[in-house]
Amino acid sequence: MSTNNITNPSQLLTSSTSFCMSPWIHIHTSPTGIASPCCIAEAGYVEGVGNSINQSLIEIVNSKKMNELRLNMLTDVKNPMCSTCHRHEEHGVPSFRQTFNNQYGQYVGEIADTNSDGSLNDFKMRYFDIRFSNICNFKCRSCNSSFSSQWELEDKRSKRPGAWTVPKNNSKPFLKEILNQIEFIDEAYFAGGEPLITEQHYVILEEMIRQKRTDIRLKYNSNLSNFKFKDKDLMGLWKYFTNGIFISASIDHFGERAEYIRHGTDWATVENNFIIAKQNPHITLQMNTVLSMYNYTTLFEFYEYLINKKLYNANDLTYSLYNMVSPRELAAHVLPIEYKNLGKEKLASVVKLFQDNKFGQQKINHLTEILPWVYSEHTWDNEKENFQNETARLDKIRGESFVKTFPELASLMD
């Protein structure tokens, strides 16, 4: 029995402040198997809406929390799980919700088949973002053991309180269910961990090719450290896909700063792989930079480097800046006001740099949109101790120095 109050589904795309296509066409799982409506859902990696290690795909899709979320969205009620998108929108930052609705709005008519309890009889996964393992060769400061096997190993070796053996999302029945969804997928997003060294990624690619679904858009979030995995010919597999390959490279700075922020980085290798990908006509390359307290005050130096090295030009896609929320002690919010103001001045220099290099207004707007976010909270007093303690702990374990790497921020450790 479908709901009776969905008289004009398409109106939800334009009039609702809470509706999102995601719960009807997508489910996300973390590398530990915890499921959530999407990858940025609040508390998604704490309790979630189910677990793919011991539940089937349809059980998760029709879990109590997912059903309630769909009903909330149909009645324009803002569910707490979606608070990250709501916060972004309140501060004028484009949200994942808006992106989902723009990209998958053509399927909005299918929500009319939603049952009165919010459940779905016939789930079709249009957007894939299932993460099977925390396998990763990096230990990014903004990450944790749930997404990095290197973090997991380090936590155990250092006897960090709360260190744990991270469950692996490697249920074979669940993977089979995902393979059965390939016929419906429009876009597959592979992230990690590091997806290019994840076994299931190659199983899925080969099955897509076998099913002749090579029209699926393939998207990646990768650290670009390695294009080789065992005996797999990655470039050979990618050539089958007619819509090309889109890679969002996780790069937050250059040189020693990049190597500090994302421990495990060899900047020369990453830069060389970036150039290889950028020159490959089958690959569309974008850079995804996590905005944090590490790079906010040196964005000018970062973009000047990219432009001078011809890694970013006016004809490229807009390189994205993601306003990091967690860990809170590393978010740009944490910077004292004098550093926020310094970053604002540097940002004005970046705008001029873009204008001088004929960058379009969209690229400029993407930069300036971060300012309301940076100034929306002032958390230094609350997070100072956490920041200093965790920075000192990791610097000692990893043989690094925040003060030497970021001299412009050295006083934060006083």
Side-chain angles (χ1 to χ4, degrees):
M1 177 181 177
S2 61
T3 55
N4 297 318
N5 59 345
I6 312 176
T7 56
N8 188 0
S10 60
Q11 188 176 0
L12 290 166
L13 295 171
T14 56
S15 63
S16 174
T17 59
S18 66
F19 177 76
C20 178
M21 285 296 304
S22 177
W24 280 267
I25 61 168
H26 170 61
I27 199 74
H28 168 75
T29 67
S30 76
T32 65
I34 296 176
S36 58
C38 73
C39 65
I40 62 170
E42 191 73 18
Y45 298 121
V46 178
E47 50 189 24
V49 299
N51 195 306
S52 59
I53 292 177
N54 51 38
Q55 288 182 287
S56 70
L57 177 63
I58 196 63
E59 284 175 336
I60 296 171
V61 167
N62 286 333
S63 65
K64 182 179 178 180
K65 289 182 180 180
M66 285 297 293
N67 293 346
E68 180 181 0
L69 177 61
R70 282 187 282 267
L71 293 179
N72 284 165
M73 288 182 172
L74 293 176
T75 53
D76 208 13
V77 173
K78 291 185 177 180
N79 189 294
M81 282 194 290
C82 304
S83 62
T84 297
C85 279
H86 298 152
R87 286 181 62 205
H88 281 169
E89 291 171 22
E90 287 167 5
H91 296 297
V93 178
S95 71
F96 201 40
R97 181 186 80 88
Q98 293 167 331
T99 299
F100 241 105
N101 288 346
N102 288 335
Q103 188 165 343
Y104 296 100
Q106 72 267 32
Y107 298 114
V108 72
E110 296 180 5
I111 72 170
D113 295 327
T114 306
N115 294 316
S116 57
D117 64 352
S119 65
L120 305 177
N121 292 329
D122 187 20
F123 174 70
K124 295 184 176 70
M125 181 182 287
R126 308 292 186 180
Y127 177 66
F128 165 94
D129 180 10
I130 302 294
R131 309 188 190 185
F132 295 97
S133 171
N134 70 337
I135 185 78
C136 189
N137 52 346
F138 280 15
K139 293 182 288 190
C140 304
R141 292 265 175 160
S142 58
C143 197
N144 56 63
S145 61
S146 293
F147 295 92
S148 166
S149 53
Q150 290 299 308
W151 260 99
E152 179 183 5
L153 183 61
E154 180 180 83
D155 284 351
K156 290 180 178 179
R157 285 177 173 173
S158 64
K159 295 181 170 51
R160 184 184 185 184
W164 63 317
T165 298
V166 179
K168 305 300 185 284
N169 183 20
N170 56 6
S171 164
K172 290 183 179 179
F174 186 78
L175 175 59
K176 184 176 180 180
E177 288 183 282
I178 296 302
L179 297 179
N180 289 337
Q181 288 285 330
I182 284 176
E183 64 175 302
F184 306 116
I185 295 174
D186 287 352
E187 181 172 288
Y189 174 58
F190 294 98
E194 170 51 38
L196 300 188
I197 58 173
T198 302
E199 291 274 1
Q200 292 88 342
H201 161 247
Y202 294 91
V203 172
I204 291 170
L205 284 195
E206 290 170 345
E207 181 62 17
M208 287 175 174
I209 294 169
R210 191 192 71 79
Q211 292 189 26
K212 297 182 170 49
R213 283 303 321 276
T214 53
D215 58 327
I216 293 173
R217 296 187 299 271
L218 299 185
K219 295 181 66 175
Y220 292 84
N221 192 298
S222 170
N223 59 37
L224 286 191
S225 61
N226 201 329
F227 284 140
K228 295 181 180 179
F229 178 72
K230 297 184 178 180
D231 62 343
K232 302 299 182 182
D233 178 10
L234 180 57
M235 294 295 182
L237 292 171
W238 276 349
K239 287 180 181 178
Y240 282 96
F241 290 85
T242 56
N243 283 319
I245 311 301
F246 178 87
I247 300 176
S248 180
S250 298
I251 298 175
D252 300 335
H253 227 302
F254 67 94
E256 64 178 357
R257 294 172 192 244
E259 293 173 348
Y260 181 98
I261 297 170
R262 296 184 179 272
H263 183 96
T265 297
D266 178 282
W267 175 248
T269 298
V270 169
E271 183 178 50
N272 185 61
N273 286 344
F274 189 89
I275 293 170
I276 291 172
K278 190 173 175 62
Q279 293 175 344
N280 189 318
H282 201 60
I283 295 173
T284 300
L285 187 64
Q286 184 184 45
M287 192 176 289
N288 177 44
T289 297
V290 174
L291 179 73
S292 70
M293 56 83 63
Y294 291 125
N295 55 17
Y296 172 64
T297 62
T298 53
L299 284 176
F300 176 78
E301 289 81 356
F302 178 50
Y303 285 111
E304 183 183 47
Y305 179 90
L306 297 181
I307 291 171
N308 288 344
K309 296 280 285 188
K310 299 185 178 358
L311 302 177
Y312 194 20
N313 62 60
N315 295 320
D316 288 329
L317 292 177
T318 301
Y319 286 7
S320 62
L321 272 173
Y322 178 73
N323 298 296
M324 187 185 71
V325 177
S326 177
R328 289 185 62 82
E329 71 269 14
L330 298 183
H333 299 316
V334 82
L335 290 167
I337 190 66
E338 62 269 24
Y339 288 99
K340 291 182 179 180
N341 292 340
L342 172 63
K344 185 177 180 180
E345 293 174 8
K346 287 291 192 77
L347 199 59
S349 298
V350 180
V351 170
K352 186 177 187 306
L353 178 68
F354 276 28
Q355 291 171 337
D356 291 345
N357 284 274
K358 311 300 181 187
F359 280 59
Q361 193 61 41
Q362 181 182 1
K363 291 181 173 64
I364 294 172
N365 290 345
H366 194 69
L367 289 171
T368 57
E369 283 170 352
I370 70 174
L371 285 175
W373 175 259
V374 171
Y375 284 93
S376 64
E377 292 185 51
H378 303 285
T379 60
W380 177 244
D381 289 342
N382 293 331
E383 300 296 338
K384 175 181 178 179
E385 186 176 355
N386 290 337
F387 167 75
Q388 292 181 339
N389 290 343
E390 184 65 359
T391 298
R393 185 185 76 84
L394 290 178
D395 278 1
K396 182 178 180 180
I397 292 172
R398 298 179 182 180
E400 297 173 336
S401 172
F402 172 81
V403 170
K404 290 181 180 179
T405 308
F406 304 94
E408 72 282 356
L409 301 174
S411 67
L412 295 180
M413 291 298 288
D414 291 344

